[in-house]
Amino acid sequence: MLANPEILSRIQFAFVISFHILFPAFTIGLASWLAMCEGLYRFTQRDVFRRLYQFWVKIFAVSFGMGVVSGIVMSFQFGTNWSVFAEATAPVLGPLFSYEVLTAFFLEATFLGIMLFGWEKVGPKLHFAATATVAIGTMLSAFWILSANSWMQTPTGFELRDGIFYPIDWWKIVFNPSFPYRLVHMVLAAYLTTAFVILGVGAWYRLKGMANEDSRVMLVMGVAFVSIVAPLQIVAGDFHGLNTLEHQPAKIAALEAHWDTEKGAALALFAWPDSTAETNHFEIAVPHLGSLILTHAWNGTLVGLKDFPVNERPPVAPIFFSFRIMVGIGILMLIAGMIGLWLAWRRRLFDTPWYHRYLVAMIPSGFIAVLAGWITTEMGRQPYTVYGLMRTSESVSPVAAPSVLATLITFVIVYGIVFGAGLYYILRIIRSGPGQAPEPAAPATYATPARPLSYPDEPTGEQR
Amino acid sequence: MSLLEILPLLWFGVIGLGVFMYVLLDGFVLGIGILSGVAHGEHERDVMMNSVAPIWDGNETWLVLGGTALLAAFPPAYTVLLPALYLPLSLMLIALIFRGVAFEFRFKAERKLGWNLAFNLGSIVAAFCQGVTLGAIVQGINADGAQYVGGAFDWLSGFTLLTGLALVAGYALLGATWVVMKTSGMLQQRAFGWSRVLLSAVIVFMALVSLYVPFLDGDYAQRWFGFPHMLLMAPFPIATVAVSYFLYRSVARRHEYWPFLLSLGMFAVGYGGLAASFWPHIIPPNLTIWNAASPPETQIFLGVGLAILLPFILFYTGWSYWVFRGKVTRDMGYH
């Protein structure tokens, strides 16, 4: 394994992209939340919204910074480790990545500067516009990168000549069959991830008796959002699943650990899939439910893995479990939203410690679900990089294994340090809570000792 | 000329511009990182970092544009260059990670030493690796079609180590003249001193690189010293001497804006000279802008969007520089 550049490059890619996706998954939602807080502040002039903005923008700055630096690594991975894949797909994918830079990255990076440092340099309207622009930028970024990923899953609009993908129809390339579903599913996932962080932090302040007004706003807005979006996400996920069944039936068969083609197929709640014996051990299944979910018919036919040649099957056990983790978390999110609605109706949303503890425990849920979902869809399209057309084993760069091993180890160590430090600083910001400082007076003088307007800039610990 | 001939020319211009923007804009930010090692105390480091805090992220984005546009417009150049320079480019990415997070983390940390080092070393290593990459392109990378053929250390040579050091000095000069422009008082006086020393270093490095290039493989010697090519290339050394002279004079006369602008000019001349040396190659010796061009459908699709979006990007980038114009004061940036 250590001498195989393909395996090492796959591990490296999985590692750097898993690390990277945590930050967009959080900042896409957070940017919108910040735009909403600032908009509400400008509109209502209620100080709680300014405090919330200035509290969450500190966390946003740290997360966004880590997203940027880990994202730059991604733009080089295609060339350094997957140059044969890059050569074949560049005419199609190159413009999609470039459009992401042109429409999203410049917008986000430039207006983030205004957002973080321009509160007093530009007027209130312009500052709000900058915040909203960053939020739009995160969406545009999601649009292009999910389009590129979806094209690799469901390639259309091209012509294959001498192993190179030539673009024929850009509309079909950008809006390829799985793209709308994946885009909606991922954006909702990002919003839910952020919502559960905000809810969890608000709930933690309730438990600690801190930030009274701020925590109430976080809980009310969080519960309202989650109780609508969590059910929507389950519907979106169902549509995405049906789309996958149409275009990548082997992936569905594998994530359901479904070996034999049959009518009225069962749904395995738990099993231990065994790829060698082509069967499941310790299976607990609900009859007909598999067909009901995937074909919306009691006796619908589901194609089993045995209908696919062994060298065209994805690994079964990992995605069987990752899929169940994702769905399980989705259900826990739904329950959290429903309980929240019920408590709000009984006027006990702010005074129910067990519910607040549940919300605190749910803080990492979105991140885990996003990772589990991506593991399902990415391992599920193996053994291909371009589905059905280009194999992963044919995509790798002519780079020596020791080089890849060296960079893999380095990335693990460096990301460990950077992620550890970032998490530590974010937790410190959360512990210190939203500031109670009033709006700063207009003219900023040199003598101002410490600005009340605190961005991720001041030591957040005991020193203050 | 047909469309098939014009498109790669236009794209060569676009990528050249993107890389040049990156070199200039992240160049002075990296330069500040390089110089942060010799700054006196945390206050000077605060001022230096705050002078670029609102804009560094946008500056770094030009690197991503350079990478993705190269992939789109000249795929073989991308797929040959990156594996050939696997180790230095990976090291550069790691260095850029430390440099980037240092902005956010340093101002939050109670003990700043670790993030000071991350900022300083990250900038030095990133600059050095970029210089090595530049040198490796000039000395040539062997390719079979669109794939690299060679070992993990083929890039390593006396020449690439020299270009690595040269770029560290060049970026530091950009950083020093930026500090002159954006600060006042003691720090500015010290920055004038740095500028003078670094200008001498850059002139020495440019001379050494220029003397080395004709001895590399390829037709560099013919191009620079053969007739009539020599006449076409002559403006570059002449301009270099002129810009160096004016830069030296503006530093000596304590001008505030001219040193930075002339440092940018110095980079422009050097960059132009290099591009002219290996034109029409994009990666010598095998890849030219003609045989490395992606299909016209790709170049047109992206080109149309670029023509519309790039003016906007330049406009709002310019606007953000305008918002944060003038000397750095306490109320700007992190504090």
PDB file of all heavy atoms in Angstrom, chain B residues 62-92:
ATOM      1  N   TRP B  62      -5.344  35.378  -7.065  1.00  0.00           N
ATOM      2  CA  TRP B  62      -4.767  35.358  -8.415  1.00  0.00           C
ATOM      3  C   TRP B  62      -3.976  34.089  -8.676  1.00  0.00           C
ATOM      4  O   TRP B  62      -3.865  33.632  -9.811  1.00  0.00           O
ATOM      5  CB  TRP B  62      -3.876  36.585  -8.634  1.00  0.00           C
ATOM      6  CG  TRP B  62      -4.675  37.847  -8.730  1.00  0.00           C
ATOM      7  CD1 TRP B  62      -4.939  38.716  -7.716  1.00  0.00           C
ATOM      8  CD2 TRP B  62      -5.353  38.355  -9.880  1.00  0.00           C
ATOM      9  NE1 TRP B  62      -5.737  39.741  -8.172  1.00  0.00           N
ATOM     10  CE2 TRP B  62      -6.002  39.549  -9.499  1.00  0.00           C
ATOM     11  CE3 TRP B  62      -5.471  37.914 -11.207  1.00  0.00           C
ATOM     12  CZ2 TRP B  62      -6.761  40.316 -10.389  1.00  0.00           C
ATOM     13  CZ3 TRP B  62      -6.212  38.681 -12.079  1.00  0.00           C
ATOM     14  CH2 TRP B  62      -6.847  39.862 -11.680  1.00  0.00           C
ATOM     15  N   LEU B  63      -3.417  33.496  -7.635  1.00  0.00           N
ATOM     16  CA  LEU B  63      -2.699  32.224  -7.795  1.00  0.00           C
ATOM     17  C   LEU B  63      -3.665  31.122  -8.217  1.00  0.00           C
ATOM     18  O   LEU B  63      -3.365  30.305  -9.087  1.00  0.00           O
ATOM     19  CB  LEU B  63      -2.001  31.837  -6.477  1.00  0.00           C
ATOM     20  CG  LEU B  63      -1.271  30.500  -6.473  1.00  0.00           C
ATOM     21  CD1 LEU B  63      -0.084  30.514  -7.424  1.00  0.00           C
ATOM     22  CD2 LEU B  63      -0.789  30.143  -5.069  1.00  0.00           C
ATOM     23  N   VAL B  64      -4.842  31.117  -7.569  1.00  0.00           N
ATOM     24  CA  VAL B  64      -5.839  30.101  -7.905  1.00  0.00           C
ATOM     25  C   VAL B  64      -6.336  30.317  -9.321  1.00  0.00           C
ATOM     26  O   VAL B  64      -6.529  29.362 -10.083  1.00  0.00           O
ATOM     27  CB  VAL B  64      -7.010  30.138  -6.895  1.00  0.00           C
ATOM     28  CG1 VAL B  64      -7.937  28.961  -7.120  1.00  0.00           C
ATOM     29  CG2 VAL B  64      -6.484  30.125  -5.476  1.00  0.00           C
ATOM     30  N   LEU B  65      -6.520  31.591  -9.705  1.00  0.00           N
ATOM     31  CA  LEU B  65      -6.940  31.857 -11.084  1.00  0.00           C
ATOM     32  C   LEU B  65      -5.871  31.382 -12.064  1.00  0.00           C
ATOM     33  O   LEU B  65      -6.181  30.718 -13.054  1.00  0.00           O
ATOM     34  CB  LEU B  65      -7.207  33.356 -11.299  1.00  0.00           C
ATOM     35  CG  LEU B  65      -7.620  33.691 -12.736  1.00  0.00           C
ATOM     36  CD1 LEU B  65      -8.986  33.100 -13.057  1.00  0.00           C
ATOM     37  CD2 LEU B  65      -7.635  35.182 -12.987  1.00  0.00           C
ATOM     38  N   GLY B  66      -4.600  31.701 -11.760  1.00  0.00           N
ATOM     39  CA  GLY B  66      -3.517  31.252 -12.638  1.00  0.00           C
ATOM     40  C   GLY B  66      -3.564  29.743 -12.819  1.00  0.00           C
ATOM     41  O   GLY B  66      -3.455  29.235 -13.939  1.00  0.00           O
ATOM     42  N   GLY B  67      -3.740  29.007 -11.707  1.00  0.00           N
ATOM     43  CA  GLY B  67      -3.773  27.542 -11.763  1.00  0.00           C
ATOM     44  C   GLY B  67      -4.946  27.020 -12.564  1.00  0.00           C
ATOM     45  O   GLY B  67      -4.773  26.217 -13.485  1.00  0.00           O
ATOM     46  N   THR B  68      -6.154  27.505 -12.259  1.00  0.00           N
ATOM     47  CA  THR B  68      -7.328  26.942 -12.935  1.00  0.00           C
ATOM     48  C   THR B  68      -7.398  27.388 -14.393  1.00  0.00           C
ATOM     49  O   THR B  68      -7.825  26.615 -15.250  1.00  0.00           O
ATOM     50  CB  THR B  68      -8.640  27.322 -12.218  1.00  0.00           C
ATOM     51  OG1 THR B  68      -8.720  28.741 -12.125  1.00  0.00           O
ATOM     52  CG2 THR B  68      -8.694  26.725 -10.830  1.00  0.00           C
ATOM     53  N   ALA B  69      -6.967  28.625 -14.682  1.00  0.00           N
ATOM     54  CA  ALA B  69      -7.004  29.078 -16.078  1.00  0.00           C
ATOM     55  C   ALA B  69      -5.968  28.330 -16.913  1.00  0.00           C
ATOM     56  O   ALA B  69      -6.206  28.018 -18.077  1.00  0.00           O
ATOM     57  CB  ALA B  69      -6.773  30.588 -16.155  1.00  0.00           C
ATOM     58  N   LEU B  70      -4.821  28.017 -16.298  1.00  0.00           N
ATOM     59  CA  LEU B  70      -3.816  27.222 -17.006  1.00  0.00           C
ATOM     60  C   LEU B  70      -4.392  25.840 -17.332  1.00  0.00           C
ATOM     61  O   LEU B  70      -4.230  25.330 -18.443  1.00  0.00           O
ATOM     62  CB  LEU B  70      -2.556  27.085 -16.145  1.00  0.00           C
ATOM     63  CG  LEU B  70      -1.330  26.475 -16.814  1.00  0.00           C
ATOM     64  CD1 LEU B  70      -0.806  27.386 -17.916  1.00  0.00           C
ATOM     65  CD2 LEU B  70      -0.227  26.208 -15.795  1.00  0.00           C
ATOM     66  N   LEU B  71      -5.085  25.246 -16.347  1.00  0.00           N
ATOM     67  CA  LEU B  71      -5.729  23.942 -16.571  1.00  0.00           C
ATOM     68  C   LEU B  71      -6.720  24.021 -17.728  1.00  0.00           C
ATOM     69  O   LEU B  71      -6.777  23.135 -18.574  1.00  0.00           O
ATOM     70  CB  LEU B  71      -6.436  23.481 -15.289  1.00  0.00           C
ATOM     71  CG  LEU B  71      -7.320  22.241 -15.407  1.00  0.00           C
ATOM     72  CD1 LEU B  71      -6.479  21.002 -15.679  1.00  0.00           C
ATOM     73  CD2 LEU B  71      -8.141  22.027 -14.136  1.00  0.00           C
ATOM     74  N   ALA B  72      -7.496  25.102 -17.766  1.00  0.00           N
ATOM     75  CA  ALA B  72      -8.532  25.209 -18.792  1.00  0.00           C
ATOM     76  C   ALA B  72      -7.951  25.515 -20.165  1.00  0.00           C
ATOM     77  O   ALA B  72      -8.370  24.937 -21.161  1.00  0.00           O
ATOM     78  CB  ALA B  72      -9.546  26.295 -18.399  1.00  0.00           C
ATOM     79  N   ALA B  73      -6.987  26.432 -20.236  1.00  0.00           N
ATOM     80  CA  ALA B  73      -6.543  26.929 -21.540  1.00  0.00           C
ATOM     81  C   ALA B  73      -5.349  26.148 -22.105  1.00  0.00           C
ATOM     82  O   ALA B  73      -5.230  25.984 -23.317  1.00  0.00           O
ATOM     83  CB  ALA B  73      -6.189  28.407 -21.442  1.00  0.00           C
ATOM     84  N   PHE B  74      -4.463  25.681 -21.238  1.00  0.00           N
ATOM     85  CA  PHE B  74      -3.282  24.919 -21.680  1.00  0.00           C
ATOM     86  C   PHE B  74      -3.118  23.686 -20.792  1.00  0.00           C
ATOM     87  O   PHE B  74      -2.156  23.606 -20.015  1.00  0.00           O
ATOM     88  CB  PHE B  74      -2.029  25.798 -21.611  1.00  0.00           C
ATOM     89  CG  PHE B  74      -2.104  27.042 -22.443  1.00  0.00           C
ATOM     90  CD1 PHE B  74      -2.344  28.278 -21.860  1.00  0.00           C
ATOM     91  CD2 PHE B  74      -1.948  26.980 -23.829  1.00  0.00           C
ATOM     92  CE1 PHE B  74      -2.421  29.426 -22.626  1.00  0.00           C
ATOM     93  CE2 PHE B  74      -2.031  28.134 -24.609  1.00  0.00           C
ATOM     94  CZ  PHE B  74      -2.267  29.349 -24.010  1.00  0.00           C
ATOM     95  N   PRO B  75      -4.026  22.710 -20.910  1.00  0.00           N
ATOM     96  CA  PRO B  75      -4.003  21.571 -19.983  1.00  0.00           C
ATOM     97  C   PRO B  75      -2.640  20.887 -19.888  1.00  0.00           C
ATOM     98  O   PRO B  75      -2.186  20.596 -18.774  1.00  0.00           O
ATOM     99  CB  PRO B  75      -5.062  20.621 -20.542  1.00  0.00           C
ATOM    100  CG  PRO B  75      -5.944  21.473 -21.374  1.00  0.00           C
ATOM    101  CD  PRO B  75      -5.099  22.602 -21.884  1.00  0.00           C
ATOM    102  N   PRO B  76      -1.942  20.636 -21.008  1.00  0.00           N
ATOM    103  CA  PRO B  76      -0.669  19.916 -20.868  1.00  0.00           C
ATOM    104  C   PRO B  76       0.354  20.685 -20.032  1.00  0.00           C
ATOM    105  O   PRO B  76       1.165  20.083 -19.334  1.00  0.00           O
ATOM    106  CB  PRO B  76      -0.185  19.755 -22.308  1.00  0.00           C
ATOM    107  CG  PRO B  76      -1.416  19.854 -23.145  1.00  0.00           C
ATOM    108  CD  PRO B  76      -2.279  20.849 -22.431  1.00  0.00           C
ATOM    109  N   ALA B  77       0.308  22.017 -20.105  1.00  0.00           N
ATOM    110  CA  ALA B  77       1.254  22.793 -19.299  1.00  0.00           C
ATOM    111  C   ALA B  77       1.006  22.528 -17.814  1.00  0.00           C
ATOM    112  O   ALA B  77       1.940  22.362 -17.025  1.00  0.00           O
ATOM    113  CB  ALA B  77       1.103  24.281 -19.604  1.00  0.00           C
ATOM    114  N   TYR B  78      -0.283  22.470 -17.449  1.00  0.00           N
ATOM    115  CA  TYR B  78      -0.660  22.210 -16.060  1.00  0.00           C
ATOM    116  C   TYR B  78      -0.288  20.786 -15.651  1.00  0.00           C
ATOM    117  O   TYR B  78       0.298  20.570 -14.589  1.00  0.00           O
ATOM    118  CB  TYR B  78      -2.162  22.440 -15.936  1.00  0.00           C
ATOM    119  CG  TYR B  78      -2.794  22.219 -14.588  1.00  0.00           C
ATOM    120  CD1 TYR B  78      -2.866  23.255 -13.655  1.00  0.00           C
ATOM    121  CD2 TYR B  78      -3.364  20.993 -14.243  1.00  0.00           C
ATOM    122  CE1 TYR B  78      -3.487  23.077 -12.432  1.00  0.00           C
ATOM    123  CE2 TYR B  78      -3.983  20.806 -13.026  1.00  0.00           C
ATOM    124  CZ  TYR B  78      -4.044  21.844 -12.115  1.00  0.00           C
ATOM    125  OH  TYR B  78      -4.657  21.657 -10.907  1.00  0.00           O
ATOM    126  N   THR B  79      -0.580  19.827 -16.537  1.00  0.00           N
ATOM    127  CA  THR B  79      -0.377  18.428 -16.154  1.00  0.00           C
ATOM    128  C   THR B  79       1.089  18.016 -16.233  1.00  0.00           C
ATOM    129  O   THR B  79       1.452  16.965 -15.721  1.00  0.00           O
ATOM    130  CB  THR B  79      -1.228  17.473 -17.023  1.00  0.00           C
ATOM    131  OG1 THR B  79      -0.909  17.693 -18.398  1.00  0.00           O
ATOM    132  CG2 THR B  79      -2.698  17.720 -16.799  1.00  0.00           C
ATOM    133  N   VAL B  80       1.925  18.811 -16.881  1.00  0.00           N
ATOM    134  CA  VAL B  80       3.363  18.524 -16.877  1.00  0.00           C
ATOM    135  C   VAL B  80       4.033  19.232 -15.704  1.00  0.00           C
ATOM    136  O   VAL B  80       4.820  18.656 -14.957  1.00  0.00           O
ATOM    137  CB  VAL B  80       4.025  18.955 -18.213  1.00  0.00           C
ATOM    138  CG1 VAL B  80       5.549  18.931 -18.095  1.00  0.00           C
ATOM    139  CG2 VAL B  80       3.573  18.024 -19.336  1.00  0.00           C
ATOM    140  N   LEU B  81       3.681  20.501 -15.523  1.00  0.00           N
ATOM    141  CA  LEU B  81       4.351  21.327 -14.515  1.00  0.00           C
ATOM    142  C   LEU B  81       4.132  20.796 -13.090  1.00  0.00           C
ATOM    143  O   LEU B  81       5.081  20.698 -12.304  1.00  0.00           O
ATOM    144  CB  LEU B  81       3.827  22.765 -14.617  1.00  0.00           C
ATOM    145  CG  LEU B  81       4.454  23.775 -13.676  1.00  0.00           C
ATOM    146  CD1 LEU B  81       5.925  23.961 -13.988  1.00  0.00           C
ATOM    147  CD2 LEU B  81       3.736  25.122 -13.760  1.00  0.00           C
ATOM    148  N   LEU B  82       2.886  20.450 -12.762  1.00  0.00           N
ATOM    149  CA  LEU B  82       2.597  20.137 -11.362  1.00  0.00           C
ATOM    150  C   LEU B  82       3.240  18.840 -10.881  1.00  0.00           C
ATOM    151  O   LEU B  82       3.842  18.831  -9.801  1.00  0.00           O
ATOM    152  CB  LEU B  82       1.079  20.172 -11.096  1.00  0.00           C
ATOM    153  CG  LEU B  82       0.555  21.567 -10.697  1.00  0.00           C
ATOM    154  CD1 LEU B  82       0.795  22.608 -11.762  1.00  0.00           C
ATOM    155  CD2 LEU B  82      -0.907  21.514 -10.324  1.00  0.00           C
ATOM    156  N   PRO B  83       3.150  17.739 -11.665  1.00  0.00           N
ATOM    157  CA  PRO B  83       3.863  16.539 -11.197  1.00  0.00           C
ATOM    158  C   PRO B  83       5.381  16.723 -11.201  1.00  0.00           C
ATOM    159  O   PRO B  83       6.068  16.209 -10.326  1.00  0.00           O
ATOM    160  CB  PRO B  83       3.446  15.452 -12.191  1.00  0.00           C
ATOM    161  CG  PRO B  83       2.177  15.952 -12.782  1.00  0.00           C
ATOM    162  CD  PRO B  83       2.316  17.442 -12.831  1.00  0.00           C
ATOM    163  N   ALA B  84       5.909  17.482 -12.191  1.00  0.00           N
ATOM    164  CA  ALA B  84       7.365  17.671 -12.258  1.00  0.00           C
ATOM    165  C   ALA B  84       7.862  18.406 -11.016  1.00  0.00           C
ATOM    166  O   ALA B  84       8.956  18.154 -10.530  1.00  0.00           O
ATOM    167  CB  ALA B  84       7.734  18.452 -13.516  1.00  0.00           C
ATOM    168  N   LEU B  85       7.043  19.329 -10.509  1.00  0.00           N
ATOM    169  CA  LEU B  85       7.447  20.116  -9.339  1.00  0.00           C
ATOM    170  C   LEU B  85       6.655  19.697  -8.112  1.00  0.00           C
ATOM    171  O   LEU B  85       6.323  20.537  -7.266  1.00  0.00           O
ATOM    172  CB  LEU B  85       7.270  21.602  -9.652  1.00  0.00           C
ATOM    173  CG  LEU B  85       8.353  22.061 -10.625  1.00  0.00           C
ATOM    174  CD1 LEU B  85       7.852  23.097 -11.580  1.00  0.00           C
ATOM    175  CD2 LEU B  85       9.571  22.546  -9.867  1.00  0.00           C
ATOM    176  N   TYR B  86       6.345  18.417  -8.054  1.00  0.00           N
ATOM    177  CA  TYR B  86       5.470  17.910  -6.986  1.00  0.00           C
ATOM    178  C   TYR B  86       5.942  18.357  -5.610  1.00  0.00           C
ATOM    179  O   TYR B  86       5.173  18.925  -4.829  1.00  0.00           O
ATOM    180  CB  TYR B  86       5.415  16.373  -7.053  1.00  0.00           C
ATOM    181  CG  TYR B  86       4.420  15.761  -6.086  1.00  0.00           C
ATOM    182  CD1 TYR B  86       3.092  15.600  -6.462  1.00  0.00           C
ATOM    183  CD2 TYR B  86       4.802  15.358  -4.819  1.00  0.00           C
ATOM    184  CE1 TYR B  86       2.169  15.058  -5.591  1.00  0.00           C
ATOM    185  CE2 TYR B  86       3.886  14.818  -3.937  1.00  0.00           C
ATOM    186  CZ  TYR B  86       2.580  14.666  -4.327  1.00  0.00           C
ATOM    187  OH  TYR B  86       1.667  14.135  -3.455  1.00  0.00           O
ATOM    188  N   LEU B  87       7.220  18.122  -5.302  1.00  0.00           N
ATOM    189  CA  LEU B  87       7.690  18.410  -3.942  1.00  0.00           C
ATOM    190  C   LEU B  87       7.776  19.913  -3.650  1.00  0.00           C
ATOM    191  O   LEU B  87       7.227  20.364  -2.649  1.00  0.00           O
ATOM    192  CB  LEU B  87       9.020  17.701  -3.676  1.00  0.00           C
ATOM    193  CG  LEU B  87       8.868  16.171  -3.574  1.00  0.00           C
ATOM    194  CD1 LEU B  87      10.223  15.495  -3.479  1.00  0.00           C
ATOM    195  CD2 LEU B  87       7.996  15.759  -2.398  1.00  0.00           C
ATOM    196  N   PRO B  88       8.425  20.734  -4.518  1.00  0.00           N
ATOM    197  CA  PRO B  88       8.454  22.168  -4.183  1.00  0.00           C
ATOM    198  C   PRO B  88       7.068  22.811  -4.144  1.00  0.00           C
ATOM    199  O   PRO B  88       6.822  23.681  -3.305  1.00  0.00           O
ATOM    200  CB  PRO B  88       9.322  22.788  -5.282  1.00  0.00           C
ATOM    201  CG  PRO B  88       9.550  21.748  -6.290  1.00  0.00           C
ATOM    202  CD  PRO B  88       9.280  20.417  -5.678  1.00  0.00           C
ATOM    203  N   LEU B  89       6.153  22.377  -5.027  1.00  0.00           N
ATOM    204  CA  LEU B  89       4.820  22.994  -5.014  1.00  0.00           C
ATOM    205  C   LEU B  89       4.039  22.575  -3.776  1.00  0.00           C
ATOM    206  O   LEU B  89       3.313  23.380  -3.182  1.00  0.00           O
ATOM    207  CB  LEU B  89       4.046  22.643  -6.289  1.00  0.00           C
ATOM    208  CG  LEU B  89       4.512  23.388  -7.540  1.00  0.00           C
ATOM    209  CD1 LEU B  89       3.747  22.910  -8.773  1.00  0.00           C
ATOM    210  CD2 LEU B  89       4.328  24.894  -7.386  1.00  0.00           C
ATOM    211  N   SER B  90       4.174  21.308  -3.366  1.00  0.00           N
ATOM    212  CA  SER B  90       3.498  20.881  -2.137  1.00  0.00           C
ATOM    213  C   SER B  90       4.039  21.660  -0.940  1.00  0.00           C
ATOM    214  O   SER B  90       3.278  22.097  -0.069  1.00  0.00           O
ATOM    215  CB  SER B  90       3.683  19.378  -1.907  1.00  0.00           C
ATOM    216  OG  SER B  90       3.124  18.647  -2.985  1.00  0.00           O
ATOM    217  N   LEU B  91       5.358  21.839  -0.933  1.00  0.00           N
ATOM    218  CA  LEU B  91       5.972  22.609   0.152  1.00  0.00           C
ATOM    219  C   LEU B  91       5.458  24.054   0.136  1.00  0.00           C
ATOM    220  O   LEU B  91       5.176  24.646   1.187  1.00  0.00           O
ATOM    221  CB  LEU B  91       7.495  22.585  -0.014  1.00  0.00           C
ATOM    222  CG  LEU B  91       8.310  23.185   1.125  1.00  0.00           C
ATOM    223  CD1 LEU B  91       8.051  22.430   2.423  1.00  0.00           C
ATOM    224  CD2 LEU B  91       9.799  23.162   0.797  1.00  0.00           C
ATOM    225  N   MET B  92       5.290  24.608  -1.072  1.00  0.00           N
ATOM    226  CA  MET B  92       4.769  25.970  -1.177  1.00  0.00           C
ATOM    227  C   MET B  92       3.356  26.050  -0.598  1.00  0.00           C
ATOM    228  O   MET B  92       3.024  27.004   0.126  1.00  0.00           O
ATOM    229  CB  MET B  92       4.741  26.409  -2.643  1.00  0.00           C
ATOM    230  CG  MET B  92       4.153  27.787  -2.840  1.00  0.00           C
ATOM    231  SD  MET B  92       3.701  28.128  -4.556  1.00  0.00           S
ATOM    232  CE  MET B  92       2.145  27.283  -4.705  1.00  0.00           C
TER     233      MET B  92
END
